[in-house]
Amino acid sequence: LDRPNEVLRLEFTQLNAPKLQRWLSQWAGAVLSSGALYPPLPMPVRVDHTENGVMMTFLSVDDGKVVPRGALNVCVQPREKASSRKSKDALVVFREPLFRDSPFPGEAQILDQLKEDLVAVTTSYAPEA
């Protein structure tokens, strides 16, 4: 993993980045509301769309106020054309804030579901995914 807060990197030899970004936006909202995650996550998660993917923010309630505890930034990174090393297109997940050592409650469950669903979608549409 390239950065200290990088928790997942899935590289692709061929990737339709805009299509994967659209899929990711739909996936994040659907996986949290569909009951696909069982058992349910131990804390609420808000999904915000970003330029390259989604930000999944873990929330808690303190004194009646919703407080963000951190986030998983799930983004599509196209290969670097100017890079001297052979880079690949990638789906990367970063834990925010930087240098947070421990995973969020439910983080592993989200990442496992993401990997499982990505396998299904990339093997179904291998030429474009």
Side-chain angles (χ1 to χ4, degrees):
L1 301 175
D2 289 348
R3 292 176 25 187
N5 63 333
E6 188 175 298
V7 294
L8 179 66
R9 172 178 288 271
L10 301 172
E11 294 184 340
F12 300 88
T13 54
Q14 185 179 19
L15 178 71
N16 181 330
K19 185 175 182 177
L20 184 56
Q21 289 169 349
R22 283 191 304 275
W23 177 86
L24 191 57
S25 292
Q26 294 170 352
W27 173 86
V31 78
L32 294 174
S33 62
S34 68
L37 296 174
Y38 187 82
L41 295 175
M43 63 189 322
V45 177
R46 179 184 71 217
V47 174
D48 296 301
H49 302 281
T50 64
E51 185 177 332
N52 296 326
V54 294
M55 183 78 70
M56 301 179 80
T57 305
F58 293 83
L59 306 169
S60 66
V61 178
D62 292 336
D63 294 325
K65 296 180 183 175
V66 176
V67 179
R69 294 296 177 195
L72 293 177
N73 184 358
V74 186
C75 58
V76 177
Q77 290 184 336
R79 82 182 72 229
E80 299 171 21
K81 292 183 177 25
S83 176
S84 59
R85 65 184 183 127
K86 290 185 177 181
S87 66
K88 293 184 176 183
D89 297 319
L91 178 103
V92 186
V93 180
F94 298 100
R95 188 181 295 133
E96 307 287 346
L98 186 62
F99 300 118
R100 178 181 164 95
D101 291 333
S102 60
F104 298 104
E107 177 180 316
Q109 193 177 355
I110 289 171
L111 295 177
D112 288 346
Q113 188 68 47
L114 174 61
K115 289 185 283 187
E116 183 179 313
D117 292 344
L118 259 174
V119 165
V121 76
T122 56
T123 55
S124 297
Y125 304 104
E128 296 183 331

